[in-house]
Amino acid sequence: MPLGEFELIDRYFKRPARRAALGVGDDCALLRVKPGMSLAISSDMLVEGRHFLSTVRPERLGHKALAVNLSDLAACGARPLAFTLALSLPSADPDFLADFSTGLFRLADEHDCELIGGDTTAGPLNICITVFGEVPVGAALLRSGALPGDDLYVSGQPGHARIALEVFRGTLQADGEVFETARMAMEMPTPRVELGLALRGIATSAVDVSDGLIGDLGHILDSSAVGATLDVDALPESALLMQLPPTLRRQFALAGGDDYELLFTARRGDRQAVVDAAWAAQTAVTRIGTIQASAGLRLVDGRGCPERDIYARFDHFRT
């Protein structure tokens, strides 16, 4: 007999409430927030064919659906608390649901983030998660705090996910090991939650890199009313990217998208504090530029010579 909506929820997504005062199963969830804390809230939607391919394994899809939301909390310096899940499914396939919920809850448990409600319906495969986190009042990392003279940093290795996407598109060839590494970056990104927490009081601004490094950098520059100089030769490189021509290397690192790394600024005098935060979070960070008072983004090479900005910014309705 086909699964009904409520049986589906009970079997694959209902768990006893831990932090929430009231969790899955009522008309509303009730979430307690400690005194002196702000509630950080973010929503992300993943649509089949737009944000993920039909060939992705359900377990990895469950992971990514939550990871992209946790990445937003990381960019705010917020600690995850709970999330809701709105799930549209072509059919209530038990195999898909078992693997999807396994990947979802594995990452949720890793960050002590509990599912407290949501909705399910029949329709095209579409996943929408709203995540809740807490951050001390006044301590949230914002896009609007960058100041002239600040250093510009990025975590991890932007560009790997784009390699996998181009292999899937048939525009790039990669051997099995390279492809699998890139595919993991694309399908199972690591939300930099611990780094975001470690950067409280150090980073002057932050944003998560989801639509490409220079595109998301634009959000910091616009919100902070500043400009930046970015050294393209300082971008972190890897064995995967080094196998590509230089133009593609930079294209993927600067405008590849789907990276879910943190891009942030910090005062020049706090360089050691940034190193210590990265060490504490066990996450590599790379200094790639400087914030300036004059508006606009300037790309330069390692010698300070101007580079042409030929990198398309991602937009869901234009790209």
Side-chain angles (χ1 to χ4, degrees):
M1 179 182 294
L3 284 174
E5 177 183 0
F6 300 108
E7 183 184 1
L8 182 160
I9 294 169
D10 286 343
R11 182 180 299 183
Y12 296 105
F13 298 109
K14 190 169 185 177
R15 288 174 151 192
R18 302 191 320 275
R19 182 183 291 108
L22 184 64
V24 175
D26 223 293
D27 291 307
C28 288
L30 301 177
L31 188 61
R32 296 190 185 98
V33 181
K34 298 174 185 175
M37 298 296 242
S38 295
L39 191 64
I41 306 168
S42 181
S43 290
D44 261 303
M45 184 184 300
L46 295 186
V47 178
E48 184 177 21
R50 186 63 172 174
H51 301 100
F52 62 91
L53 304 174
S54 61
T55 54
V56 66
R57 299 174 193 170
E59 189 172 337
R60 293 185 179 186
L61 183 58
H63 172 103
K64 185 170 183 177
L66 182 57
V68 302
N69 285 271
L70 293 179
S71 182
D72 287 328
L73 289 186
C76 191
R79 186 178 299 280
L81 294 176
F83 68 101
T84 61
L85 169 67
L87 188 59
S88 171
L89 295 163
S91 64
D93 178 354
D95 291 335
F96 173 90
L97 287 164
D99 290 346
F100 176 87
S101 59
T102 294
L104 178 79
F105 284 128
R106 182 181 295 132
L107 184 63
D109 291 344
E110 184 180 325
H111 293 282
D112 193 22
C113 189
E114 63 180 322
L115 178 62
I116 58 171
D119 191 24
T120 59
T121 187
L125 185 53
N126 187 347
I127 307 151
C128 184
I129 285 179
T130 298
V131 71
F132 305 87
E134 63 179 7
V135 60
V137 173
L141 306 180
L142 308 176
R143 298 177 177 183
S144 56
L147 297 169
D150 283 356
D151 291 325
L152 176 66
Y153 296 86
V154 68
S155 70
Q157 181 59 72
H160 281 186
R162 182 61 178 272
I163 295 174
L165 178 61
E166 295 305 326
V167 173
F168 278 122
R169 285 175 168 172
T171 65
L172 190 67
Q173 291 186 333
D175 63 37
E177 185 177 348
V178 169
F179 173 62
E180 281 305 315
T181 302
R183 185 175 185 177
M184 285 292 288
M186 176 184 177
E187 296 180 346
M188 294 191 69
T190 300
R192 303 301 187 182
V193 173
E194 293 304 319
L195 179 60
L197 295 174
L199 287 172
R200 286 181 189 167
I202 300 171
T204 53
S205 69
V207 67
D208 86 315
V209 181
S210 55
D211 296 331
L213 192 155
I214 56 176
D216 289 311
L217 173 56
H219 298 315
I220 287 180
L221 303 187
D222 291 342
S223 296
S224 301
V226 293
T229 296
L230 192 157
D231 179 359
V232 296
D233 288 334
L235 291 167
E237 293 187 334
S238 68
L240 269 65
L241 287 175
M242 290 300 290
Q243 297 188 39
L244 303 177
T247 303
L248 279 185
R249 260 183 257 159
R250 290 179 181 173
Q251 172 69 33
F252 291 3
L254 288 171
D258 244 12
D259 297 307
Y260 302 102
E261 297 293 350
L262 291 190
L263 184 68
F264 63 95
T265 59
R267 293 178 179 84
R268 185 171 300 181
D270 284 335
R271 287 180 180 177
Q272 186 58 49
V274 170
V275 171
D276 293 342
W279 178 264
Q282 298 184 3
T283 303
V285 301
T286 305
R287 183 159 44 91
I288 59 172
T290 307
I291 299 298
Q292 297 176 328
S294 54
L297 173 62
R298 290 158 288 280
L299 302 183
V300 299
D301 63 18
R303 298 170 297 173
C305 298
E307 290 273 316
R308 289 179 60 208
D309 185 351
I310 58 173
Y311 307 103
R313 277 65 163 170
F314 181 83
D315 184 295
H316 283 283
F317 293 98
R318 294 176 178 170
T319 303

